[in-house]
Amino acid sequence: MSLAELIRERRSIRKFNSTPVAEELVVELLQTAVQLLPSSAGVPWRCVYAGTPESRKRLADYMLQTVSHSRLGKLIPDKMLEVFKKRFMDIPAHVVVLAGTGPDPLASERNYAAVCSILQNFQLLGWERGLGMLWDTEAMIQNEGLFQGIGMRADERFVGILHVGYYNKAPRGRKRTPAEKKWTVFQG
Amino acid sequence: MLLANLAMEATGPVCFRNQPVPQELVLELLNHAVWAPNDGLREPWRFIFVDHRNADRMVGLQEPAPAYLIVVMKEEADRYKREEDFAAVSCLMQNLELLAPEKGLGIRRTLNEWRYDRQRAGTFGVLGNEWIAGVLELGYAEQVPGRPAADSRPELRFELL
Ligand SMILES: Cc1cc2nc3c(=O)[nH]c(=O)nc-3n(C[C@H](O)[C@H](O)[C@H](O)COP(=O)(O)O)c2cc1C
């Protein structure tokens, strides 16, 4: 598979099978993902990994404790929260990713962009090994319970949770707008 | 080639040959890069190409390069969407950087202070509801002596929950 094919064929995976994911593989792919940045030295970031049934349950509990106590959460039937929790716990692995902020907004934006680029590398490297992922940033999961549970600090920024697992079938890709339609040549 | 192997290749700092970059090449690579993940398929990006005829307009703002690609994103009112969009555009720029070497193209991604200078950005056609997500300095890459392949372990802080 060429690089261009890899980039075009990678899909976000929302349905995983139960094949376990090796923690060593995740670490290896993350390390390679960093190496693929031209200047990765000094990018402050941190991953918190939940890859065992016990830690996945804890992660789900952190997220849901805020949701179920919130006003919105009270409107959500318990049954639905249970379904959400089960789906979450059934996914083999979760990587919570945090980017360090910087001394000023520009530095913070640069770090954030670098960490996002690492995650794109990570998704592509995973795809190459048959691993599917979903980058999750739903507003509902970005809550105090989660942030406290993983020990997010004031100088850290939430980038997302990557759900990771093997899949049986990849969905069809949804067409992109040709770059020509979003293209302007500066005329001076 | 496996992407995993690309990481093993030595890369040095990117130096550019004094040669124009055809827009067709950039568009070709972009049409692969737009397959970046992006929430809600908002495709929040837009491209402004500054070629060799106008490269001097970047003096004082950017390092010299044969061409520049200003990658802009639309500013969403919603804070979450704004972050997701910046993430998506970052993935797109990363795709482009992965693809460029195969074509002999070098890319230096930058994000400089002038992104906050609305008037300056405006002269290049960046609209009031847009932000510069990155300025890519582009050029055919000079053969440069590579650094020794990954001598130190990349930094990774990986903690178990
Ligand atoms: C920063 C970011 C956040 C995302 N958040 C979500 C999310 O919360 N829920 C979701 O279903 N998909 C999410 N996605 C995945 C997109 O929906 C997906 O990339 C898009 O539908 C295109 O599909 P593809 O990745 O298979 O090409 C996110 C993608 C990115 C880059």
Side-chain angles (χ1 to χ4, degrees), chain A residues 8 10-11 31 35 42 46-47 49 58 110 112 117 120-121 128 137 157 176-177 179-180 182-184 186 188, chain B residues 2-4 23 31-32 34 36-37 43 45 47 49 57 83-84 94-95 109 111 123 150 153 155 157 159 161:
Chain A
R8 300 177 80 108
R10 175 215 55 83
R11 290 279 74 79
Q31 269 168 346
Q35 263 175 300
R46 183 159 74 96
C47 300
Y49 186 71
R58 231 164 347 116
R110 282 181 182 151
Y112 181 77
S117 303
Q120 171 63 0
N121 292 340
E128 216 164 47
T137 53
R157 192 164 161 184
R176 304 305 203 254
T177 308
E180 285 82 354
K182 291 170 168 273
W183 178 262
T184 309
F186 176 61
Chain B
L2 276 179
L3 179 59
Q23 59 165 313
N31 275 319
H32 299 312
V34 293
E43 303 184 285
W45 42 72
F47 314 105
F49 186 58
R57 297 287 294 270
E83 300 249 314
E84 285 159 0
Q94 182 58 24
N95 282 347
R109 192 200 305 188
L111 188 62
T123 60
R153 287 245 134 205
E155 281 168 66
R157 279 190 61 197
E159 296 162 8
L161 182 73

CSV table of all heavy atoms in Angstrom, one decimal, chain A residues 8 10-11 31 35 42 46-47 49 58 110 112 117 120-121 128 137 157 176-177 179-180 182-184 186 188, chain B residues 2-4 23 31-32 34 36-37 43 45 47 49 57 83-84 94-95 109 111 123 150 153 155 157 159 161:
chain,number,residue,atom,x,y,z
A,8,ARG,N,-5.7,7.7,2.3
A,8,ARG,CA,-7.0,7.8,1.8
A,8,ARG,C,-7.9,6.7,2.3
A,8,ARG,O,-9.1,6.9,2.5
A,8,ARG,CB,-7.0,7.7,0.2
A,8,ARG,CG,-6.2,8.8,-0.5
A,8,ARG,CD,-6.2,8.5,-1.9
A,8,ARG,NE,-7.5,8.9,-2.5
A,8,ARG,CZ,-7.6,10.0,-3.3
A,8,ARG,NH1,-6.5,10.8,-3.6
A,8,ARG,NH2,-8.7,10.4,-3.8
A,10,ARG,N,-7.5,5.0,5.3
A,10,ARG,CA,-7.8,4.9,6.8
A,10,ARG,C,-9.2,5.4,7.1
A,10,ARG,O,-9.7,6.3,6.5
A,10,ARG,CB,-6.8,5.8,7.5
A,10,ARG,CG,-7.0,5.9,9.0
A,10,ARG,CD,-6.7,7.3,9.5
A,10,ARG,NE,-7.5,8.3,8.8
A,10,ARG,CZ,-8.7,8.7,9.1
A,10,ARG,NH1,-9.4,8.1,10.1
A,10,ARG,NH2,-9.3,9.6,8.4
A,11,ARG,N,-9.9,4.7,7.9
A,11,ARG,CA,-11.2,5.1,8.3
A,11,ARG,C,-11.3,5.2,9.8
A,11,ARG,O,-10.6,4.5,10.6
A,11,ARG,CB,-12.3,4.0,7.9
A,11,ARG,CG,-12.5,3.9,6.4
A,11,ARG,CD,-13.5,5.0,5.8
A,11,ARG,NE,-12.8,6.3,5.8
A,11,ARG,CZ,-12.0,6.7,4.8
A,11,ARG,NH1,-11.7,5.9,3.8
A,11,ARG,NH2,-11.5,7.9,4.8
A,31,GLN,N,5.4,5.7,19.8
A,31,GLN,CA,6.8,6.1,19.7
A,31,GLN,C,7.1,6.4,18.3
A,31,GLN,O,7.8,7.4,18.0
A,31,GLN,CB,7.7,5.1,20.3
A,31,GLN,CG,8.0,5.3,21.8
A,31,GLN,CD,8.7,4.2,22.5
A,31,GLN,OE1,8.7,3.1,21.9
A,31,GLN,NE2,9.1,4.4,23.7
A,35,GLN,N,8.3,9.9,16.3
A,35,GLN,CA,9.5,10.0,15.4
A,35,GLN,C,9.2,10.6,14.0
A,35,GLN,O,10.1,11.1,13.4
A,35,GLN,CB,10.1,8.6,15.3
A,35,GLN,CG,11.2,8.2,16.2
A,35,GLN,CD,11.6,6.8,16.0
A,35,GLN,OE1,10.8,5.9,16.2
A,35,GLN,NE2,12.8,6.6,15.7
A,42,GLY,N,10.9,17.9,22.7
A,42,GLY,CA,10.4,18.9,23.6
A,42,GLY,C,8.9,19.2,23.5
A,42,GLY,O,8.4,20.1,24.2
A,46,ARG,N,1.1,13.9,27.0
A,46,ARG,CA,1.0,12.8,27.9
A,46,ARG,C,-0.2,12.0,27.5
A,46,ARG,O,-1.2,12.5,27.0
A,46,ARG,CB,0.8,13.4,29.3
A,46,ARG,CG,0.7,12.4,30.4
A,46,ARG,CD,0.9,13.1,31.8
A,46,ARG,NE,-0.2,14.0,32.2
A,46,ARG,CZ,-1.1,13.5,33.1
A,46,ARG,NH1,-1.1,12.3,33.5
A,46,ARG,NH2,-2.1,14.3,33.4
A,47,CYS,N,0.1,10.6,27.6
A,47,CYS,CA,-1.0,9.7,27.3
A,47,CYS,C,-1.4,8.9,28.6
A,47,CYS,O,-0.5,8.5,29.3
A,47,CYS,CB,-0.6,8.7,26.3
A,47,CYS,SG,-0.1,9.4,24.7
A,49,TYR,N,-3.4,5.6,29.6
A,49,TYR,CA,-3.9,4.4,28.9
A,49,TYR,C,-4.8,3.5,29.7
A,49,TYR,O,-4.5,3.2,30.9
A,49,TYR,CB,-2.7,3.6,28.5
A,49,TYR,CG,-3.0,2.4,27.6
A,49,TYR,CD1,-3.4,2.5,26.3
A,49,TYR,CD2,-2.8,1.1,28.1
A,49,TYR,CE1,-3.7,1.5,25.5
A,49,TYR,CE2,-3.1,0.0,27.3
A,49,TYR,CZ,-3.5,0.2,26.0
A,49,TYR,OH,-3.8,-0.9,25.2
A,58,ARG,N,-13.0,2.0,35.3
A,58,ARG,CA,-12.7,3.2,36.0
A,58,ARG,C,-12.8,4.4,35.2
A,58,ARG,O,-13.4,5.4,35.6
A,58,ARG,CB,-11.3,3.1,36.6
A,58,ARG,CG,-11.3,3.4,38.1
A,58,ARG,CD,-10.1,3.0,38.9
A,58,ARG,NE,-9.2,2.2,38.3
A,58,ARG,CZ,-7.9,2.5,38.1
A,58,ARG,NH1,-7.5,3.8,38.3
A,58,ARG,NH2,-7.1,1.6,37.6
A,110,ARG,N,0.9,25.8,19.0
A,110,ARG,CA,1.9,25.0,18.3
A,110,ARG,C,2.0,23.6,18.9
A,110,ARG,O,2.0,22.6,18.2
A,110,ARG,CB,3.3,25.6,18.4
A,110,ARG,CG,3.5,26.7,17.5
A,110,ARG,CD,4.9,27.3,17.7
A,110,ARG,NE,5.2,28.4,16.9
A,110,ARG,CZ,6.1,29.4,17.2
A,110,ARG,NH1,6.7,29.3,18.4
A,110,ARG,NH2,6.3,30.4,16.4
A,112,TYR,N,-0.3,22.0,20.6
A,112,TYR,CA,-1.6,21.3,20.3
A,112,TYR,C,-1.5,20.7,18.9
A,112,TYR,O,-1.9,19.6,18.7
A,112,TYR,CB,-2.8,22.3,20.5
A,112,TYR,CG,-4.1,21.7,20.2
A,112,TYR,CD1,-4.7,20.9,21.2
A,112,TYR,CD2,-4.8,21.9,19.0
A,112,TYR,CE1,-6.0,20.3,21.0
A,112,TYR,CE2,-6.1,21.4,18.8
A,112,TYR,CZ,-6.6,20.6,19.8
A,112,TYR,OH,-7.9,20.0,19.5
A,117,SER,N,-0.9,16.1,15.2
A,117,SER,CA,-0.1,15.5,14.1
A,117,SER,C,0.4,14.2,14.5
A,117,SER,O,0.4,13.2,13.7
A,117,SER,CB,1.0,16.4,13.7
A,117,SER,OG,0.6,17.7,13.3
A,120,GLN,N,-2.4,11.8,14.3
A,120,GLN,CA,-2.7,11.3,12.9
A,120,GLN,C,-1.7,10.3,12.5
A,120,GLN,O,-2.1,9.2,11.9
A,120,GLN,CB,-2.6,12.5,11.9
A,120,GLN,CG,-2.7,12.2,10.4
A,120,GLN,CD,-4.0,11.5,10.0
A,120,GLN,OE1,-4.9,11.3,10.8
A,120,GLN,NE2,-4.1,11.2,8.7
A,121,ASN,N,-0.4,10.4,12.8
A,121,ASN,CA,0.6,9.4,12.5
A,121,ASN,C,0.2,8.1,13.2
A,121,ASN,O,0.3,7.0,12.6
A,121,ASN,CB,2.0,9.8,13.0
A,121,ASN,CG,2.5,11.0,12.2
A,121,ASN,OD1,2.1,11.2,11.1
A,121,ASN,ND2,3.5,11.7,12.8
A,128,GLU,N,-2.1,0.5,9.4
A,128,GLU,CA,-1.1,-0.3,8.7
A,128,GLU,C,-1.0,-1.7,9.4
A,128,GLU,O,-0.6,-2.7,8.8
A,128,GLU,CB,0.2,0.4,8.8
A,128,GLU,CG,1.1,0.2,7.6
A,128,GLU,CD,2.2,1.3,7.6
A,128,GLU,OE1,2.9,1.5,8.6
A,128,GLU,OE2,2.4,1.9,6.5
A,137,THR,N,-14.0,13.4,20.7
A,137,THR,CA,-14.0,14.7,21.5
A,137,THR,C,-15.4,15.1,21.9
A,137,THR,O,-15.6,16.3,22.1
A,137,THR,CB,-13.3,15.8,20.6
A,137,THR,OG1,-14.1,15.8,19.4
A,137,THR,CG2,-11.9,15.5,20.3
A,157,ARG,N,-4.0,20.4,28.2
A,157,ARG,CA,-5.2,20.7,27.3
A,157,ARG,C,-5.6,19.3,26.8
A,157,ARG,O,-4.8,18.5,26.4
A,157,ARG,CB,-4.7,21.5,26.2
A,157,ARG,CG,-5.7,22.2,25.3
A,157,ARG,CD,-5.0,23.3,24.5
A,157,ARG,NE,-5.7,23.6,23.3
A,157,ARG,CZ,-5.3,24.5,22.4
A,157,ARG,NH1,-4.1,25.1,22.5
A,157,ARG,NH2,-6.1,24.8,21.3
A,176,ARG,N,-14.4,13.5,0.0
A,176,ARG,CA,-13.9,14.8,0.3
A,176,ARG,C,-14.1,15.8,-0.8
A,176,ARG,O,-14.1,15.4,-2.0
A,176,ARG,CB,-12.4,14.8,0.7
A,176,ARG,CG,-12.1,13.7,1.8
A,176,ARG,CD,-12.9,14.0,3.1
A,176,ARG,NE,-12.2,13.4,4.2
A,176,ARG,CZ,-12.6,12.3,4.9
A,176,ARG,NH1,-13.6,11.6,4.4
A,176,ARG,NH2,-11.9,11.9,5.9
A,177,THR,N,-14.1,17.1,-0.4
A,177,THR,CA,-14.2,18.2,-1.4
A,177,THR,C,-12.8,18.3,-2.1
A,177,THR,O,-11.8,18.3,-1.4
A,177,THR,CB,-14.5,19.5,-0.8
A,177,THR,OG1,-15.7,19.3,0.0
A,177,THR,CG2,-14.8,20.6,-1.8
A,179,ALA,N,-9.5,19.6,-3.5
A,179,ALA,CA,-8.7,20.8,-3.0
A,179,ALA,C,-8.8,22.0,-3.9
A,179,ALA,O,-8.7,23.1,-3.4
A,179,ALA,CB,-7.2,20.4,-2.8
A,180,GLU,N,-9.0,21.7,-5.2
A,180,GLU,CA,-9.2,22.8,-6.1
A,180,GLU,C,-10.3,23.8,-5.7
A,180,GLU,O,-10.3,25.0,-6.0
A,180,GLU,CB,-9.5,22.3,-7.5
A,180,GLU,CG,-8.3,21.7,-8.2
A,180,GLU,CD,-8.0,20.2,-7.8
A,180,GLU,OE1,-8.7,19.7,-6.9
A,180,GLU,OE2,-7.1,19.6,-8.4
A,182,LYS,N,-11.1,24.7,-2.8
A,182,LYS,CA,-10.7,25.4,-1.6
A,182,LYS,C,-9.4,26.1,-1.8
A,182,LYS,O,-8.6,26.3,-0.8
A,182,LYS,CB,-10.6,24.5,-0.4
A,182,LYS,CG,-12.0,23.9,0.0
A,182,LYS,CD,-11.9,22.8,1.0
A,182,LYS,CE,-13.2,22.5,1.6
A,182,LYS,NZ,-13.6,23.3,2.7
A,183,TRP,N,-9.1,26.5,-3.0
A,183,TRP,CA,-7.7,26.9,-3.4
A,183,TRP,C,-7.8,28.3,-4.0
A,183,TRP,O,-8.6,28.6,-4.9
A,183,TRP,CB,-7.3,25.9,-4.5
A,183,TRP,CG,-5.9,26.1,-5.1
A,183,TRP,CD1,-5.7,26.8,-6.3
A,183,TRP,CD2,-4.7,25.7,-4.6
A,183,TRP,NE1,-4.4,26.8,-6.5
A,183,TRP,CE2,-3.7,26.1,-5.5
A,183,TRP,CE3,-4.3,25.1,-3.4
A,183,TRP,CZ2,-2.3,25.9,-5.3
A,183,TRP,CZ3,-2.9,24.8,-3.2
A,183,TRP,CH2,-2.0,25.2,-4.2
A,184,THR,N,-6.9,29.1,-3.5
A,184,THR,CA,-6.7,30.5,-4.1
A,184,THR,C,-5.3,30.7,-4.3
A,184,THR,O,-4.4,30.4,-3.5
A,184,THR,CB,-7.2,31.5,-3.0
A,184,THR,OG1,-8.5,31.2,-2.6
A,184,THR,CG2,-7.3,32.9,-3.7
A,186,PHE,N,-2.6,33.5,-4.5
A,186,PHE,CA,-2.4,34.9,-4.1
A,186,PHE,C,-1.9,35.7,-5.3
A,186,PHE,O,-0.9,35.3,-5.9
A,186,PHE,CB,-1.4,35.0,-2.9
A,186,PHE,CG,-1.1,36.4,-2.5
A,186,PHE,CD1,-2.0,37.3,-2.0
A,186,PHE,CD2,0.3,36.8,-2.5
A,186,PHE,CE1,-1.7,38.5,-1.6
A,186,PHE,CE2,0.6,38.1,-2.1
A,186,PHE,CZ,-0.4,38.9,-1.6
A,188,GLY,N,-0.9,39.0,-5.3
A,188,GLY,CA,0.0,40.1,-5.0
A,188,GLY,C,-0.8,41.4,-4.7
A,188,GLY,O,-1.9,41.5,-4.8
B,2,LEU,N,6.2,1.0,3.9
B,2,LEU,CA,5.4,1.1,5.1
B,2,LEU,C,5.8,2.5,5.8
B,2,LEU,O,6.9,2.9,5.8
B,2,LEU,CB,5.9,0.0,6.1
B,2,LEU,CG,5.2,-1.4,5.9
B,2,LEU,CD1,5.7,-2.3,6.9
B,2,LEU,CD2,3.7,-1.2,6.1
B,3,LEU,N,4.7,3.1,6.3
B,3,LEU,CA,4.9,4.3,7.0
B,3,LEU,C,5.9,4.1,8.2
B,3,LEU,O,6.7,5.0,8.5
B,3,LEU,CB,3.5,4.9,7.5
B,3,LEU,CG,3.6,6.1,8.3
B,3,LEU,CD1,4.2,7.3,7.5
B,3,LEU,CD2,2.1,6.5,8.7
B,4,ALA,N,5.7,2.9,8.8
B,4,ALA,CA,6.6,2.7,10.0
B,4,ALA,C,8.1,2.8,9.6
B,4,ALA,O,8.9,3.1,10.4
B,4,ALA,CB,6.3,1.3,10.6
B,23,GLN,N,1.9,24.6,-8.8
B,23,GLN,CA,0.7,24.4,-8.0
B,23,GLN,C,0.0,23.1,-8.2
B,23,GLN,O,-0.6,22.5,-7.3
B,23,GLN,CB,-0.3,25.6,-8.2
B,23,GLN,CG,-0.8,25.8,-9.6
B,23,GLN,CD,-2.0,26.7,-9.6
B,23,GLN,OE1,-2.9,26.6,-8.8
B,23,GLN,NE2,-2.0,27.8,-10.4
B,31,ASN,N,-5.0,16.7,-2.5
B,31,ASN,CA,-6.1,15.8,-2.7
B,31,ASN,C,-6.0,14.4,-2.0
B,31,ASN,O,-7.0,13.8,-1.9
B,31,ASN,CB,-6.4,15.7,-4.2
B,31,ASN,CG,-7.3,16.9,-4.7
B,31,ASN,OD1,-8.2,17.3,-4.0
B,31,ASN,ND2,-7.0,17.4,-5.9
B,32,HIS,N,-4.8,14.1,-1.7
B,32,HIS,CA,-4.7,12.9,-0.8
B,32,HIS,C,-4.8,13.4,0.7
B,32,HIS,O,-5.5,12.7,1.5
B,32,HIS,CB,-3.3,12.3,-0.9
B,32,HIS,CG,-3.0,11.7,-2.3
B,32,HIS,ND1,-3.9,10.9,-3.0
B,32,HIS,CD2,-1.9,11.9,-3.1
B,32,HIS,CE1,-3.3,10.6,-4.2
B,32,HIS,NE2,-2.2,11.2,-4.3
B,34,VAL,N,-6.5,15.7,2.1
B,34,VAL,CA,-7.9,16.0,2.5
B,34,VAL,C,-8.6,14.8,3.1
B,34,VAL,O,-9.7,15.0,3.7
B,34,VAL,CB,-8.7,16.7,1.5
B,34,VAL,CG1,-8.2,18.1,1.1
B,34,VAL,CG2,-8.9,15.8,0.2
B,36,ALA,N,-7.9,13.5,5.6
B,36,ALA,CA,-7.6,13.6,7.1
B,36,ALA,C,-9.0,13.4,7.8
B,36,ALA,O,-10.0,13.8,7.3
B,36,ALA,CB,-7.1,14.9,7.4
B,37,PRO,N,-8.9,12.8,9.0
B,37,PRO,CA,-10.1,12.7,9.8
B,37,PRO,C,-10.6,14.1,10.2
B,37,PRO,O,-9.7,15.0,10.4
B,37,PRO,CB,-9.7,11.9,11.0
B,37,PRO,CG,-8.2,12.2,11.1
B,37,PRO,CD,-7.7,12.3,9.7
B,43,GLU,N,-14.6,19.6,7.0
B,43,GLU,CA,-13.5,20.0,6.1
B,43,GLU,C,-13.2,21.5,6.3
B,43,GLU,O,-13.3,22.3,5.4
B,43,GLU,CB,-13.9,19.7,4.7
B,43,GLU,CG,-14.2,18.3,4.4
B,43,GLU,CD,-14.5,18.0,2.9
B,43,GLU,OE1,-15.5,18.4,2.4
B,43,GLU,OE2,-13.6,17.4,2.3
B,45,TRP,N,-10.9,23.5,6.3
B,45,TRP,CA,-9.7,24.1,5.7
B,45,TRP,C,-9.9,24.9,4.4
B,45,TRP,O,-10.9,24.7,3.7
B,45,TRP,CB,-8.6,23.0,5.5
B,45,TRP,CG,-9.2,21.8,4.9
B,45,TRP,CD1,-9.6,21.6,3.6
B,45,TRP,CD2,-9.4,20.5,5.5
B,45,TRP,NE1,-10.1,20.3,3.4
B,45,TRP,CE2,-9.9,19.6,4.6
B,45,TRP,CE3,-9.1,20.0,6.8
B,45,TRP,CZ2,-10.3,18.3,4.9
B,45,TRP,CZ3,-9.4,18.7,7.1
B,45,TRP,CH2,-10.0,17.9,6.2
B,47,PHE,N,-7.0,26.9,1.4
B,47,PHE,CA,-5.6,27.1,1.0
B,47,PHE,C,-5.4,28.3,0.2
B,47,PHE,O,-6.1,28.6,-0.7
B,47,PHE,CB,-5.1,25.9,0.2
B,47,PHE,CG,-5.6,24.6,0.8
B,47,PHE,CD1,-6.6,23.8,0.2
B,47,PHE,CD2,-5.0,24.1,2.0
B,47,PHE,CE1,-7.1,22.6,0.8
B,47,PHE,CE2,-5.5,22.9,2.5
B,47,PHE,CZ,-6.5,22.2,1.9
B,49,PHE,N,-2.2,29.9,-1.9
B,49,PHE,CA,-0.9,29.6,-2.4
B,49,PHE,C,-0.2,30.8,-2.8
B,49,PHE,O,-0.7,31.6,-3.6
B,49,PHE,CB,-1.1,28.6,-3.6
B,49,PHE,CG,0.2,28.1,-4.1
B,49,PHE,CD1,1.1,27.3,-3.3
B,49,PHE,CD2,0.5,28.2,-5.5
B,49,PHE,CE1,2.3,26.8,-3.8
B,49,PHE,CE2,1.7,27.7,-6.0
B,49,PHE,CZ,2.6,27.0,-5.2
B,57,ARG,N,6.8,38.8,-0.7
B,57,ARG,CA,5.9,39.4,0.2
B,57,ARG,C,5.9,38.8,1.6
B,57,ARG,O,5.4,39.4,2.5
B,57,ARG,CB,4.4,39.2,-0.4
B,57,ARG,CG,4.2,39.9,-1.7
B,57,ARG,CD,4.2,41.4,-1.6
B,57,ARG,NE,3.0,41.8,-0.8
B,57,ARG,CZ,1.8,42.1,-1.4
B,57,ARG,NH1,1.7,42.0,-2.7
B,57,ARG,NH2,0.8,42.4,-0.6
B,83,GLU,N,-11.7,23.6,18.5
B,83,GLU,CA,-10.5,22.8,18.8
B,83,GLU,C,-10.5,21.6,17.8
B,83,GLU,O,-9.4,21.2,17.3
B,83,GLU,CB,-10.6,22.2,20.2
B,83,GLU,CG,-10.6,23.3,21.2
B,83,GLU,CD,-9.3,23.3,22.1
B,83,GLU,OE1,-8.9,22.3,22.5
B,83,GLU,OE2,-8.8,24.4,22.3
B,84,GLU,N,-11.6,21.0,17.5
B,84,GLU,CA,-11.7,19.9,16.6
B,84,GLU,C,-11.2,20.3,15.2
B,84,GLU,O,-10.5,19.5,14.5
B,84,GLU,CB,-13.1,19.3,16.5
B,84,GLU,CG,-13.6,18.5,17.7
B,84,GLU,CD,-15.1,18.4,17.8
B,84,GLU,OE1,-15.8,19.0,17.0
B,84,GLU,OE2,-15.6,17.8,18.8
B,94,GLN,N,-0.2,17.3,8.5
B,94,GLN,CA,0.7,16.2,8.7
B,94,GLN,C,0.7,15.2,7.5
B,94,GLN,O,1.8,14.7,7.1
B,94,GLN,CB,0.3,15.5,10.0
B,94,GLN,CG,1.2,14.3,10.4
B,94,GLN,CD,2.6,14.7,10.6
B,94,GLN,OE1,2.9,15.8,10.8
B,94,GLN,NE2,3.5,13.7,10.4
B,95,ASN,N,-0.5,14.9,7.0
B,95,ASN,CA,-0.6,14.1,5.8
B,95,ASN,C,0.3,14.6,4.7
B,95,ASN,O,1.1,13.9,4.0
B,95,ASN,CB,-2.0,14.1,5.3
B,95,ASN,CG,-2.9,13.1,6.1
B,95,ASN,OD1,-2.4,12.3,6.9
B,95,ASN,ND2,-4.2,13.2,5.9
B,109,ARG,N,6.8,23.4,8.3
B,109,ARG,CA,5.5,23.9,8.9
B,109,ARG,C,5.8,25.0,9.9
B,109,ARG,O,6.7,24.7,10.8
B,109,ARG,CB,4.7,22.8,9.5
B,109,ARG,CG,3.3,23.3,9.8
B,109,ARG,CD,2.5,22.5,10.8
B,109,ARG,NE,2.5,21.0,10.5
B,109,ARG,CZ,1.8,20.1,11.2
B,109,ARG,NH1,1.0,20.5,12.2
B,109,ARG,NH2,1.8,18.9,10.8
B,111,LEU,N,4.1,28.3,12.5
B,111,LEU,CA,2.9,29.0,13.0
B,111,LEU,C,3.6,30.2,13.7
B,111,LEU,O,4.1,30.1,14.8
B,111,LEU,CB,2.1,28.2,13.9
B,111,LEU,CG,0.8,28.8,14.3
B,111,LEU,CD1,-0.1,29.0,13.2
B,111,LEU,CD2,0.0,27.9,15.4
B,123,THR,N,-4.1,40.9,4.2
B,123,THR,CA,-3.5,41.3,2.9
B,123,THR,C,-3.2,40.0,2.0
B,123,THR,O,-3.1,40.1,0.8
B,123,THR,CB,-2.1,42.0,3.0
B,123,THR,OG1,-1.2,41.2,3.8
B,123,THR,CG2,-2.3,43.3,3.8
B,150,ALA,N,17.4,8.2,14.5
B,150,ALA,CA,16.9,8.2,15.8
B,150,ALA,C,17.9,7.7,16.9
B,150,ALA,O,17.9,6.5,17.2
B,150,ALA,CB,15.6,7.4,15.9
B,153,ARG,N,15.6,7.8,22.2
B,153,ARG,CA,14.2,7.4,22.2
B,153,ARG,C,13.4,8.6,22.2
B,153,ARG,O,13.6,9.6,23.0
B,153,ARG,CB,14.0,6.6,23.5
B,153,ARG,CG,14.5,5.2,23.5
B,153,ARG,CD,13.4,4.2,23.6
B,153,ARG,NE,13.6,3.2,22.6
B,153,ARG,CZ,12.7,2.4,22.1
B,153,ARG,NH1,11.4,2.6,22.4
B,153,ARG,NH2,12.9,1.5,21.2
B,155,GLU,N,10.5,11.2,23.0
B,155,GLU,CA,9.8,11.4,24.3
B,155,GLU,C,8.4,10.9,24.3
B,155,GLU,O,7.6,11.3,23.4
B,155,GLU,CB,9.8,12.9,24.6
B,155,GLU,CG,11.1,13.4,25.2
B,155,GLU,CD,11.1,14.9,25.2
B,155,GLU,OE1,10.3,15.5,26.0
B,155,GLU,OE2,11.9,15.4,24.5
B,157,ARG,N,5.4,10.2,27.2
B,157,ARG,CA,4.9,9.9,28.6
B,157,ARG,C,3.6,9.1,28.5
B,157,ARG,O,2.6,9.6,28.1
B,157,ARG,CB,4.7,11.3,29.3
B,157,ARG,CG,6.0,11.9,29.8
B,157,ARG,CD,5.7,13.0,30.7
B,157,ARG,NE,5.0,12.7,31.9
B,157,ARG,CZ,4.3,13.6,32.6
B,157,ARG,NH1,4.4,14.8,32.3
B,157,ARG,NH2,3.7,13.2,33.7
B,159,GLU,N,1.2,6.7,30.6
B,159,GLU,CA,0.9,6.2,32.0
B,159,GLU,C,-0.3,5.3,32.0
B,159,GLU,O,-1.2,5.5,31.1
B,159,GLU,CB,0.6,7.5,32.8
B,159,GLU,CG,1.8,8.4,33.0
B,159,GLU,CD,1.4,9.8,33.5
B,159,GLU,OE1,0.2,10.0,33.8
B,159,GLU,OE2,2.3,10.7,33.5
B,161,LEU,N,-3.7,4.1,33.5
B,161,LEU,CA,-4.8,4.6,34.4
B,161,LEU,C,-4.9,3.7,35.6
B,161,LEU,O,-5.1,2.5,35.5
B,161,LEU,CB,-6.1,4.7,33.6
B,161,LEU,CG,-7.2,5.3,34.5
B,161,LEU,CD1,-7.0,6.8,34.6
B,161,LEU,CD2,-8.6,5.0,33.8
